[in-house]
Each structure stands twice: as C-alpha cells, then as structure tokens.
Amino acid sequence: NIFIHDSISYSANKDEKFNLVVLGKEILPLEYDAIHLLSPELFLLKKHDKYQFFLANSNKFIRSNATGYFENFPELMLLSTADSTSILYSKKEKAMLLDKVNSYEQVNDQYGIINTDEHIFRIFRMADLKQIGPKVNYIRLLKDQYFIATKDNKRLLYLPEMDKVYTIPPLDDIVSLSSTVITYTLNGQYGVHSLLSDKVIVPPRYTSIEEIDGAYFVSYFDQYGVYASTGKELITADYNNIKSYPYNFVTVKNEKYGLYTNSGQQLEDTIFTKISVFEKAVKCYTKEKMVMYTISEDGVFGERKEFNDYMSIGIEKEIYPKQPSTRIRFGDTEDVNRFGWFRPIL
C-alpha cells in the first residue's frame, strides 16, 4: 500500500511496516508499525508500542517518549509525552516553541493561557508566539480583552494591549474600565475602584452606579446617593430622587426637597415643597417661608437669607437639571417636554 499527501508518501509492505518518503527520498526506513500525519511536516511514529514525534522538514525527532495523544489548535498543537507534560508546537513556524508544558488553553484568537511550572501561569500571545504578563497562580480572561489573575493572595488586572498590571479588590466581574478606574460587581453589588491609587472609590454595595461629570451616582434599589471621584460620600443613598446642577444637588424624599452643595455640604434638610435653581441663586419654598442663597461666578454659596412673609416675582430662567442617559432618575422634565419653557416663579 502507498499513501500520498502532497509530496510526501508513506508505504506499507505485507508485514504492515511503514516507511516515509519525501520528494522521492526515503527519510525513514520501512520498520514502523504506524505513521500518522499531524501536519504537512509533523508526524507521529509508532514502533514497538513506543511513539515518537518526527519533523520531516528538518529530519529530526522532537521527542522519543511521546504518548500518541495530541490537541490541535488553529495555530498550535499540544503534543503529549510520557512524563505527563506536553510540547507546544507552532504550525506556522514549523518548530517546537516550548517543552515540558503542563497545560495550554486557547481563550480566543489572540491569546492562550499556558502553564509551564507547577501553579505558575502566563499569557501566550498568538501574534508573536511569546509569553507576556506576570507569572501568576491563576488567570482568566474577561470580556475578550483583559485578564484577572491572582498572585501571592493578591488579585491583579492585566491589560495586554498596554502591558500594564494593576492591583484590584475581590470581584466577580468588571462592568466598565477606563485608564484610571473600574466599575465592578461583587456578590451582585456594584462598586468603583481606582487603578492609580489602588483604593475603593465606591464600596460594592449598590444595585447600580453611573459616572456623571466626575461624580458617581449610586442607587440601592429605589434609594439614591452620590460619591465624589475621591471616594468621599457626598450624599447617602437615602433619597427617592436626586437632581444634579452645576454647583449643587437637590434631593427628593417623600415629595419634599433638600439642598446640598456639590462638595457634599448639606445646606437644607429635605423639608421644602419646591426648590428652584437659577444661575446666581437658589430659592427654597414652603408655605410659611422662603430661603434664598446667592451663588458667585465660581460656584460659592453666599449667606443664607430667610423670608417668612414674601411675595416675589422671578424673571430669571431656571437652570434645568442635568439629564444623563441613565436608569437613575435625576430631575423632572414635564414642563420642558410639554411646553418648551419653564414656568415663571411667582
């Protein structure tokens, strides 16, 4: 029998012995019990119940203690050996890349995870067939673009495109990532962590988080609060709604309104029936009184003034609260949506 693959042939005689012929030249003699073609230049040979890997292009044996098992990947092959390790072989380079590999996992088209030493893992990059990133005890790919790892009881985030490693807190998943912070989940709750300072900005105890103009608006079910980008809690998550303005926040609870500065200072309790925000002033109303604050050009609140008997006509246009594209409710839009203007204040 003669078996032909491109310019390579291997034949068997009546005793079922095989040889290997390349371009008309006998490379291996007629003495093998089986010859398996793994790739155009790589063969698995069997002789007297022993296996060997053979490279026809270089006419040499890779390993004499093969087991006969192998795993086939798009660009690589993992060739099993009798010492419980494997050889990582590149089809493109037609050569052995690594010897004594404990395990290999192809996680996507760009990367694999390789284990060469006991409990030591690294990332294998397909573009240049190199190991990259830190040596770690455990690693997994998230969202097809970055890796979560553990090393010496520390949790690490590795960004292969930037070749940067950051320390991170315990987490289940990363919701979003920027160059400075990550929004993550732990036990179903959301938090924010600074990559630069390695500090938690928002602890993972909220059902949703949105970043707006450098502040983090959080909610725990139907209760809302605000954190600064420094990690300071500006407003506790104890309100039904929060309206965000350039220099202040208006909180809403049980249909009553309160006032905070954007640095988290509480100016007024949540007792007012209405609060109107203008470019240079804020007015807080109840049936019995009006409280007014002036606002300087740099956003500093002036002295508190209270009027028990008042009647004022305001012709200033109210400032519209910020309306981010978020599931968290900030501000009322009914007047503008219906009429295109704000109601005058009497």
Side-chain angles (χ1 to χ4, degrees):
N1 297 309
I2 297 177
F3 308 92
I4 299 177
H5 178 82
D6 293 337
S7 60
I8 301 171
S9 65
Y10 38 106
S11 58
N13 62 12
K14 63 180 180 179
D15 297 322
E16 294 296 322
K17 296 297 182 181
F18 291 81
N19 71 342
L20 182 64
V21 178
V22 179
L23 295 174
K25 181 181 179 180
E26 187 180 57
I27 302 298
L28 296 175
L30 195 68
E31 59 184 33
Y32 290 91
D33 299 322
I35 297 178
H36 300 283
L37 180 67
L38 304 183
S39 72
E41 70 289 327
L42 179 64
F43 294 86
L44 176 63
L45 313 175
K46 181 182 179 183
K47 183 178 180 181
H48 305 314
D49 295 326
K50 293 183 179 181
Y51 291 88
Q52 294 174 293
F53 294 112
F54 180 76
L55 274 177
N57 61 343
S58 58
N59 194 18
K60 67 177 182 179
F61 296 94
I62 296 180
R63 184 74 76 83
S64 60
N65 62 340
T67 63
Y69 297 99
F70 61 93
E71 283 188 81
N72 203 357
F73 300 100
E75 300 290 336
L76 304 170
M77 294 187 72
L78 199 63
L79 311 175
S80 177
T81 63
D83 60 1
S84 301
T85 63
S86 300
I87 298 168
L88 191 65
Y89 177 82
S90 169
K91 299 177 185 178
K92 180 180 178 181
E93 299 294 327
K94 300 180 181 180
M96 180 180 70
L97 299 177
L98 292 170
D99 197 3
K100 296 187 179 301
V101 174
N102 292 328
S103 66
Y104 177 81
E105 177 189 1
Q106 188 83 40
V107 293
N108 61 18
D109 293 338
Q110 295 177 291
Y111 303 106
I113 296 175
I114 193 166
N115 170 222
T116 54
D117 298 309
E118 188 176 3
H119 306 304
I120 299 297
F121 295 83
R122 291 194 75 187
I123 300 165
F124 191 82
R125 186 167 55 198
M126 302 304 302
D128 53 6
L129 302 176
K130 289 184 178 180
Q131 297 182 66
I132 60 172
K135 295 181 179 180
V136 296
N137 307 120
Y138 167 79
I139 193 167
R140 64 186 172 103
L141 178 69
L142 280 183
K143 302 188 185 308
D144 247 16
Q145 56 184 321
Y146 38 80
F147 292 86
I148 299 296
T150 56
K151 181 180 180 181
D152 301 330
N153 296 322
K154 291 184 179 180
R155 290 171 175 83
L156 305 176
L157 170 67
Y158 177 65
L159 308 179
E161 295 297 325
M162 304 168 59
D163 193 26
K164 289 190 176 181
V165 182
Y166 299 99
T167 304
I168 57 174
L171 55 80
D172 297 325
D173 195 10
I174 293 178
V175 180
S176 64
L177 179 147
S178 71
S179 60
T180 57
V181 298
I182 58 170
T183 301
Y184 65 99
T185 58
L186 178 64
N187 300 324
Q189 305 294 305
Y190 288 77
V192 179
H193 181 80
S194 170
L195 298 177
L196 299 182
S197 64
D198 188 23
K199 292 182 179 180
V200 173
I201 297 175
V202 180
R205 57 180 182 226
Y206 300 99
T207 53
S208 66
I209 294 177
E210 295 287 343
E211 190 272 332
I212 304 167
D213 293 339
Y216 294 94
F217 291 78
V218 301
S219 69
Y220 185 74
F221 296 101
D222 290 330
Q223 301 297 304
Y224 302 94
V226 182
Y227 279 80
S229 59
T230 59
K232 177 184 177 182
E233 187 178 31
L234 302 179
I235 303 175
T236 58
D238 194 36
Y239 296 95
N240 306 132
N241 194 358
I242 297 176
K243 299 180 182 182
S244 176
Y245 295 89
Y247 302 117
N248 66 280
F249 301 103
V250 173
T251 55
V252 184
K253 188 173 184 179
N254 299 327
E255 298 184 356
K256 299 292 185 180
Y257 297 82
L259 181 64
Y260 282 80
T261 67
N262 58 6
S263 62
Q265 179 186 359
Q266 185 176 20
L267 298 179
E268 298 294 336
D269 292 332
T270 313
I271 59 173
F272 295 90
T273 56
K274 180 178 176 64
I275 292 181
S276 298
V277 180
F278 305 93
E279 287 187 6
K280 297 182 179 180
V282 175
K283 298 178 181 179
C284 311
Y285 301 92
T286 67
K287 291 183 179 180
E288 296 79 19
K289 65 180 180 181
M290 177 184 75
V291 174
M292 185 177 73
Y293 291 89
T294 58
I295 306 176
S296 66
E297 292 184 357
D298 54 358
V300 177
F301 276 70
E303 183 182 353
R304 181 182 191 272
K305 295 182 179 180
E306 183 174 323
F307 304 90
N308 292 322
D309 295 315
Y310 69 92
M311 179 177 178
S312 65
I313 298 177
I315 60 174
E316 281 188 279
K317 182 179 179 180
E318 281 190 67
I319 295 179
Y320 191 52
K322 300 175 185 178
Q323 290 293 321
S325 57
T326 169
R327 55 191 163 187
I328 303 179
R329 303 189 308 271
F330 298 110
D332 302 316
T333 61
E334 181 179 355
D335 291 338
V336 175
N337 292 338
R338 290 178 59 191
F339 309 115
W341 48 274
F342 295 92
R343 282 182 287 183
I345 304 302
L346 178 61

